[in-house]
Every structure is written in structure tokens, then in C-alpha cells.
Amino acid sequence: MPDLSIRKTAYSVEEIFHEGGPAPTKSLRRAAGIAVITNPFAGRYEPDIQWFMEDLKPLGLQMATRLVEMLGGADQIEGYGKGALVGADGELEHGALWHAPGGYAMRALLDNSNAIVPSTKKVVGVGGRLDVPITHINASYVRGHFDAIEVGLNDAPKAHEMALVLVMSTGARIHNRAGGLDAKDIIGKDGLR
């Protein structure tokens, strides 16, 4: 990966069997991937930063591929999201560079991924945490898939780093009963419904 210095990666999977109610017929699995990289713009204002998105594309594809494999294949994925934790010597805009590489990487691997990939980012100190939003991959209005995964590492990001995040899930929240559009009723034309 050109001009990209990766210090570490971390991947995790959680499996939820119930939330205090009856056990569902199928558990919910959620996975997160984090890549801690050197921020090439740390410590200074740089007007031209868009070029770095090209350097991030291979990392996005590598991370998305790993998450798909961890969750049992692309046909298992129903939800996704992305985020960035920017170290203290960076700025929020540096984290925004992950929007396109992270989102397009997941879309490249997932059929019917018409919905916008929800995202969040913030500047943090070492050990900062981030709640990364999740929505359905094909219809943002599927209320049962509104979720979030908290991510973070105890030693990252250092002031000169960024921690880039992708998350995926295999379905709706356990015991979803908040109403609204159900996944089985998706029309799939506009990424919303």
C-alpha cells in the first residue's frame, strides 16, 4: 500500500443470543475491524489532502474482505458502517478521508448495498472510543437495523495516528420491535426503502 504506514490492526466478532427475552431462532453477529495508521498530515495544516484517499482504498478492501470472511460470507451481511478516530495532532477532516475508501470497499463486496454507509469520526486522545453507526446495506429506513458498535484500542490512536474502522452485522437487533420498514419489505430502488 503506497504511502501508508500501518502500526497495527485489530478485528473482533461478537455473537448475541438474546437480550433478556426469548432466544431468537438465529443469533446476531457483529464484527469490527480497526487499522491504526500514521496520519501523514499530523501536526500541520495541509490544503491538499484528497490524494490520500487513493492510498486508503487497498486498506479498505483488505479490511472489508476480512470482515466478510469473519461473518461467513457476503450473503450473511445485512448491516454496515464506518468511522475514524483521529489522534490529537490531526484534524477531523483527516478522518473524513476514510468516507469514500471505507464505504466503497464494503459496497464492492456486498450485493444490494444501495444504502449510504453511515459514518462517524472524532479527534481523540490515546484510548479514545467511538460509537460506529450501522444501518441496513440496502435500505436506510429499515429501523430494526439501526445499531452501533463501540470500538477503540487502549494504545491508539497516538497523536500522529488515525484509527480507521469498518463494521458489519448479520441482521436486525435482537428482539427488534420498534416498528417501521422491515427488511423483508425492502423495495431496493433508492437506498432508503
Side-chain angles (χ1 to χ4, degrees):
M1 289 181 221
D3 296 322
L4 195 62
S5 175
I6 301 173
R7 178 165 68 91
K8 68 189 294 185
T9 60
Y11 291 87
S12 65
V13 176
E14 73 174 310
E15 189 165 9
I16 304 168
F17 298 100
H18 66 81
E19 293 286 348
T25 57
K26 181 181 173 187
S27 63
L28 170 65
R29 291 180 303 135
R30 304 183 323 162
I34 304 172
V36 180
I37 67 167
T38 299
N39 180 350
F41 313 111
R44 68 183 193 286
Y45 175 80
E46 183 66 48
D48 180 19
I49 61 175
Q50 288 185 18
W51 60 266
F52 194 54
M53 288 189 286
E54 284 300 313
D55 290 354
L56 293 174
K57 284 181 178 180
L59 176 62
L61 193 55
Q62 175 184 325
M63 291 173 67
T65 299
R66 179 103 182 253
L67 290 176
V68 166
E69 291 170 357
M70 290 170 62
L71 291 175
D75 61 330
Q76 299 298 305
I77 311 303
E78 292 186 17
Y80 55 19
K82 61 187 183 302
L85 293 150
V86 180
D89 286 346
E91 61 178 276
L92 199 59
E93 195 65 11
H94 302 159
L97 296 173
W98 184 235
H99 286 309
Y104 287 124
M106 290 190 289
R107 285 173 185 238
L109 299 177
L110 304 173
D111 291 336
N112 294 319
S113 54
N114 296 322
I116 190 168
V117 181
S119 179
T120 189
K121 59 198 162 301
K122 67 180 181 178
V123 175
V124 298
V126 173
R129 308 291 292 180
L130 187 68
D131 289 330
V132 181
I134 299 172
T135 59
H136 193 282
I137 65 171
N138 195 22
S140 294
Y141 287 3
V142 176
R143 203 178 295 163
H145 284 64
F146 293 174
D147 204 350
I149 298 177
E150 183 184 32
V151 298
L153 298 169
N154 65 339
D155 68 342
K158 295 180 180 178
H160 68 284
E161 295 177 329
M162 292 190 287
L164 305 175
V165 181
L166 295 181
V167 300
M168 294 182 187
S169 70
T170 61
R173 296 181 312 277
I174 297 293
H175 306 315
N176 160 49
R177 53 195 186 280
L181 180 65
D182 195 286
K184 67 179 175 24
D185 299 321
I186 294 172
I187 297 168
K189 291 183 180 177
D190 60 5
L192 300 176
R193 298 178 183 82

